[in-house]
Amino acid sequence: MTSDESIRPFRIDVASADLDDLHERLRRTRFAPPLPGDDWDTGVPVAYLRELVGYWRNGYDWRAQEAVLNSHAQFTTVIDGQPIHFLHVRSAEPDAMPLVLTHGWPGSFVEFLDVIGPLTDPVSHGGDAADAFHLVIPSLPGFGFSGPVTEAGWDTARIARAWAELMRRVGYTRYGVQGGDIGAGVSPAVARVDPGAVVGVHVNGSLGAPLHGPGDDEKATLTDLELDRVARVEVFMTEEFGYIAIQSTRPQTLAAGLTDSPVGQLAWIMDKFREWTHPRAAAPDTVIDRDRLLTNVMIYWLTATAGSAAYVGYAQESAWGAVETPSGVPTGAIMFAHDIGIRRYAETGHTITRWTDVEDRGGHFAAMEEPGLLTQDVRAFFRGLRHVPS
């Protein structure tokens, strides 16, 4: 831990020259010839990409989005030698519970913009003041304004220790954690390293995903919903695992292209937003606001962190899939229609006290796709934990 524990205010202020450079790069884009069919089976269709790039260049307003981001209090601090960027949005409610929200890949803190208001100010969003939260929303090491990384070893446990230290620095001794994707791995890890302070863990997405597949005898005991999730994991491992293989073995090589080509960066991220949003057949910008999607891409582009985000997210992939001993901290999960978590498997490494399956709505990016349902589940889960002694 660094001896400098100072917390410094942070404001995003992108140089106009960087925006001009982006505009020129977009103008000079050399698009690949379309492959037969030009559909999503081979990646982002060229026709779709051309149209989206045209909007990025001529319709998207970074300064307006920058103002939205800067409307929330942001800070930086150095933990374990790594600069950490975070939002700290305090509720006006005096009894609000502190809550850490952790994003995943290819996301960023931008994922959570639509839940900040409902979680910090529930009364203004049709809720109860008793459900208010103070929010701490860090950028993962190596991602965006927490990047790049200069050291190896930023696995879930190390990130969890950093989050526990971050909460100590901002003055919270009792708090909850929530996250999806990488955040669904980091959040339970925070409870393991700081069980005396973490009152509850809430996740969405992949908790309890059967990554190695059950045998036939075990499959015979599964429900139809569980069998569907097993089948989708099997399809993922055969048809979609390529990006993990690349990012976990050659992140620096990949970064050479993504940090030099904004359209390359856009396509790499949009491919996953199309695959992981619900319904899958829909274009991602019909599920999530187009400007919000581009703002997320901009965080990667402007900070040149494609490589370090890939490195932290997947270069140490064994850490993400390891079976852990339950922390004993109450854990809740919500699985949306695209998600693959199965309770019986999650219970081997977590103390599950609430499990919600949503079979017909929502995908991997819950806070962006279904902020209302996610907020509702987070409120309900933590409602019984707010005044329980640690």
Side-chain angles (χ1 to χ4, degrees), residues 201-203 207 330-334 343 351-356 373 376-383:
V201 177
H202 186 280
V203 301
L207 197 71
T331 300
I334 183 168
R343 179 168 185 164
T351 305
I352 304 296
T353 60
R354 177 184 175 88
W355 188 276
T356 305
L373 284 180
Q376 178 181 333
D377 204 70
V378 169
R379 288 174 179 169
F381 170 70
F382 283 104
R383 197 168 289 144

Side-chain angles (χ1 to χ4, degrees), residues 140 242 251 291 298 367-368 386:
L140 286 163
D291 285 348
M298 288 287 283
M368 303 176 87
R386 288 175 175 268

Side-chain angles (χ1 to χ4, degrees), residues 77-114:
T77 190
V78 177
I79 301 176
D80 197 12
Q82 179 65 33
I84 299 295
H85 160 263
F86 64 100
L87 276 62
H88 186 193
V89 186
R90 289 186 59 85
S91 173
E93 301 296 339
D95 294 327
M97 171 182 281
L99 179 66
V100 184
L101 301 178
T102 304
H103 65 84
W105 183 92
S108 65
F109 71 96
V110 171
E111 288 185 47
F112 297 111
L113 292 179
D114 288 338

Side-chain angles (χ1 to χ4, degrees), residues 1-342:
M1 182 175 65
T2 178
S3 58
D4 179 10
E5 297 188 1
S6 62
I7 295 175
R8 296 166 292 280
F10 179 84
R11 185 174 179 82
I12 303 171
D13 186 15
V14 174
S16 295
D18 291 339
L19 300 180
D20 292 342
D21 174 71
L22 170 62
H23 191 272
E24 180 61 18
R25 287 171 185 262
L26 294 176
R27 186 187 69 81
R28 299 180 63 248
T29 299
R30 187 173 73 161
F31 290 94
L35 295 175
D38 196 29
D39 57 31
W40 290 93
D41 288 344
T42 53
V44 182
V46 175
Y48 176 85
L49 191 61
R50 280 185 179 275
E51 194 277 329
L52 187 57
V53 169
Y55 176 78
W56 193 6
R57 179 170 177 253
N58 299 313
Y60 174 79
D61 184 349
W62 164 255
R63 291 302 185 198
Q65 299 303 313
E66 186 180 63
V68 171
L69 301 180
N70 283 331
S71 69
H72 302 294
Q74 299 173 67
F75 304 88
T76 59
T77 190
V78 177
I79 301 176
D80 197 12
Q82 179 65 33
I84 299 295
H85 160 263
F86 64 100
L87 276 62
H88 186 193
V89 186
R90 289 186 59 85
S91 173
E93 301 296 339
D95 294 327
M97 171 182 281
L99 179 66
V100 184
L101 301 178
T102 304
H103 65 84
W105 183 92
S108 65
F109 71 96
V110 171
E111 288 185 47
F112 297 111
L113 292 179
D114 288 338
V115 300
I116 290 176
L119 290 175
T120 59
D121 185 11
V123 173
S124 295
H125 295 81
D128 190 320
D131 289 327
F133 295 91
H134 301 307
L135 297 181
V136 175
I137 310 175
S139 296
L140 286 163
F143 286 68
F145 301 108
S146 287
V149 288
T150 58
E151 295 180 351
W154 281 101
D155 58 8
T156 51
R158 187 173 180 183
I159 297 171
R161 291 192 295 271
W163 277 198
E165 170 62 16
L166 175 61
M167 294 303 278
R168 184 191 70 80
R169 289 189 190 181
V170 297
Y172 297 133
T173 58
R174 188 174 183 275
Y175 58 93
V177 290
Q178 199 284 329
D181 191 74
I182 294 174
V186 170
S187 298
V190 179
R192 293 188 177 96
V193 303
D194 201 12
V198 178
V199 301
V201 177
H202 186 280
V203 301
N204 58 276
S206 57
L207 197 71
L211 297 181
H212 302 293
D216 291 340
D217 290 343
E218 188 174 345
K219 281 187 177 180
T221 70
L222 300 180
T223 66
D224 289 344
L225 176 64
E226 291 169 340
L227 286 170
D228 176 67
R229 290 178 179 173
V230 169
R232 285 190 285 114
V233 170
E234 292 172 346
V235 170
F236 173 85
M237 297 302 288
T238 57
E239 296 182 6
E240 289 188 54
F241 193 77
Y243 80 96
I244 295 181
I246 294 172
Q247 294 197 161
S248 64
T249 58
R250 292 295 185 271
Q252 191 68 70
T253 301
L254 178 65
L258 301 190
T259 59
D260 187 59
S261 168
V263 176
Q265 179 70 90
L266 174 67
W268 190 252
I269 289 177
M270 292 302 290
D271 182 82
K272 296 305 147 203
F273 269 88
R274 192 271 181 171
E275 292 299 314
W276 298 344
T277 48
H278 180 81
R280 179 174 176 264
D285 57 336
T286 65
V287 179
I288 299 171
D289 178 74
R290 175 176 281 198
D291 285 348
R292 186 62 50 81
L293 289 170
L294 288 172
T295 298
N296 180 65
V297 172
M298 288 287 283
I299 297 298
Y300 285 81
W301 172 255
L302 293 170
T303 59
T305 50
S308 60
Y311 178 71
V312 170
Y314 297 103
Q316 302 152 84
E317 62 177 298
S318 60
W320 308 120
V323 176
E324 300 281 2
T325 302
S327 65
V329 175
T331 300
I334 183 168
M335 297 293 141
F336 287 95
H338 177 81
D339 292 331
I340 53 177
I342 296 176

